[in-house]
């Protein structure tokens, strides 16, 4: 649990800017109990269900992709009866070694918050806050170098943004989500390293779009087609971008900006409204 070393940049890049990837530590949960048995977002259709074995295969490929990029992956045991527990991003927010615990919106997921908090406590994270206000962890909190971007409108409450700011000692910037397909911030925006983002503007209220334009004038702006395959639910280590393979325009744009896209197929997990980022909780140390 110390500062992670800089990942070596082995391949000569033809890209305009040389990007540096940092080694990350991720927490993931194997989708052994994955299913679509209830609907809490517009992607979920219990009558159509989902193929658990295929979800496990896709998840294993994601885990292998992280290992191949040199990242460390820890695993939390899946719990029967919690079909969405695979979406580890929602389990907590971990910044500077401090854990702001999740408090889920829907009763179907309530038990996940304490489960993730217990894992983090048992794995060396001594400072864990059991949140008073409803929040869904890294689903709605995205940590940048200077600020934490925080979504609201569907799940996480503004009061939780304030609670997280006070607990973590980092400025939290509230962003309002307006399209139910993009119910978590991480379905509409991802961090490109610590000081830039990619996002889908139409997912945000006019005021929040103006905030994003002001904070990130060089942002990568994605279109409807890429957003509609959850292409914004991506994971970037500063150089590589693990991203849904169907987000082809965004993948090309990212490559043009000097990033190395790592396409993955998460089509089965998307039936619950999730993608690569949803399956990934970053553990950030001091
Ligand atoms: N079915 C889950 C829900 O609606 C999906 C969560 C996806 N996670 C995320 N970080 N966007 O809560």
């Amino acid at each position: 649990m110390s500062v992670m070393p800089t990942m070596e940049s082995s391949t000569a890049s033809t890209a305009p800017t040389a990007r540096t990837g940092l080694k990350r530590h991720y927490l993931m949960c194997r989708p052994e109990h994955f299913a679509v048995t209830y609907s809490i977002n517009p992607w979920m259709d219990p009558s159509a269900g989902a193929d658990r074995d295929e979800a496990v295969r896709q998840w294993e490929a994601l885990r292998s992709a992280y290992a191949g990029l040199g990242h460390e992956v820890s695993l939390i045991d899946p719990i029967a009866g919690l079909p969405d527990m695979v979406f580890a991003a929602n389990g907590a927010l971990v910044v500077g070694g401090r854990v702001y615990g999740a408090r889920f919106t829907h009763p179907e997921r309530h038990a996940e918050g304490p489960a993730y908090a217990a894992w983090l406590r048992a794995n060396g994270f001594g400072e864990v806050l059991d949140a008073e206000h409803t929040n869904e962890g890294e689903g709605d909190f995205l940590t940048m170098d200077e600020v934490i971007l925080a979504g609201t409108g569907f799940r996480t409450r503004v009061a939780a943004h304030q609670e997280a700011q006070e607990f973590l000692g980092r400025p939290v910037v509230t962003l309002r989500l307006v399209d139910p397909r993009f119910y978590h911030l991480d379905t509409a925006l991802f961090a490109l390293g610590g000081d830039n983002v990619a996002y889908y503007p139409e997912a945000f209220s006019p005021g929040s779009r103006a905030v994003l334009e002001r904070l990130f004038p060089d942002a990568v702006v994605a279109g409807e087609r890429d957003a509609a395959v959850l292409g914004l639910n991506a994971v970037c280590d500063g150089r590589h971008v693990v991203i849904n393979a169907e987000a082809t325009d965004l993948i090309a744009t990212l490559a043009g900006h000097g990033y190395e896209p790592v396409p993955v197929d998460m089509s089965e997990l998307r039936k619950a409204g999730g993608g690569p980022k949803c399956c990934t909780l970053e553990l950030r140390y001091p």
Side-chain angles (χ1 to χ4, degrees):
M1 273 218 264
S2 56
V3 175
M4 299 290 177
T6 302
M7 188 183 285
E8 95 283 9
S9 304
S10 49
T11 50
S13 178
T14 52
T17 322
R19 304 283 176 185
T20 308
L22 293 180
K23 184 182 173 188
R24 310 286 173 152
H25 186 181
Y26 297 133
L27 179 60
M28 298 180 71
C29 180
R30 201 165 188 270
E32 277 160 39
H33 306 291
F34 177 67
V36 178
T37 50
Y38 52 77
S39 181
I40 56 174
N41 70 54
W43 303 84
M44 302 176 85
D45 178 0
S47 67
D51 180 338
R52 180 174 304 153
D53 293 340
E54 183 59 18
V56 169
R57 277 190 288 276
Q58 293 177 350
W59 179 92
E60 288 289 0
L62 176 65
R63 178 187 170 183
S64 302
Y66 290 142
L69 294 173
H71 301 311
E72 182 178 348
V73 176
S74 293
L75 299 177
I76 180 174
D77 287 336
I79 297 174
L82 296 177
D84 274 335
M85 192 173 169
V86 58
F87 300 118
N90 302 134
L93 168 66
V94 185
V95 177
R98 290 166 76 83
V99 178
Y100 179 60
R103 179 182 280 270
F104 281 83
T105 312
H106 300 95
E108 293 89 339
R109 300 195 68 186
H110 275 177
E112 294 182 44
Y116 277 91
W119 187 95
L120 290 159
R121 281 194 177 94
N123 285 272
F125 292 87
E127 303 212 60
V128 182
L129 182 71
D130 293 317
E132 190 178 320
H133 297 288
T134 299
N135 83 90
E136 299 199 349
E138 269 202 335
D140 272 320
F141 287 105
L142 297 174
T143 303
M144 311 293 297
D145 287 344
E146 303 300 331
V147 298
I148 296 174
L149 303 177
T152 191
F154 297 101
R155 304 283 179 94
T156 299
R157 303 285 161 198
V158 175
H161 298 179
Q162 291 160 357
E163 189 178 28
Q165 170 168 291
E166 196 58 33
F167 176 64
L168 298 169
R170 303 254 190 138
V172 173
V173 177
T174 293
L175 299 169
R176 186 161 296 278
L177 298 160
V178 296
D179 181 333
R181 290 176 300 165
F182 309 110
Y183 55 92
H184 278 141
L185 180 61
D186 74 356
T187 62
L189 182 150
F190 67 94
L192 287 167
D195 61 2
N196 202 10
V197 298
Y199 69 105
Y200 174 56
E202 285 75 11
F204 297 90
S205 68
S208 295
R209 281 162 74 163
V211 168
L212 287 168
E213 283 163 21
R214 180 171 284 269
L215 284 178
F216 307 109
D218 300 323
V220 171
V221 173
E224 151 80 20
R225 265 173 13 107
D226 292 313
V229 293
L230 288 182
L232 278 312
N233 192 252
V235 178
C236 178
D237 64 15
R239 175 174 181 147
H240 311 94
V241 182
V242 178
I243 181 169
N244 275 333
E246 300 95 328
T248 49
D249 291 344
L250 181 54
I251 285 172
T253 306
L254 290 166
H257 281 74
Y259 296 95
E260 286 183 34
V262 179
V264 290
D265 176 10
M266 297 264 103
S267 50
E268 211 55 37
L269 290 150
R270 193 165 51 225
K271 293 177 181 172
K277 169 60 205 164
C278 298
C279 297
T280 311
L281 174 62
E282 184 166 351
L283 305 181
R284 294 187 178 77
Y285 297 92

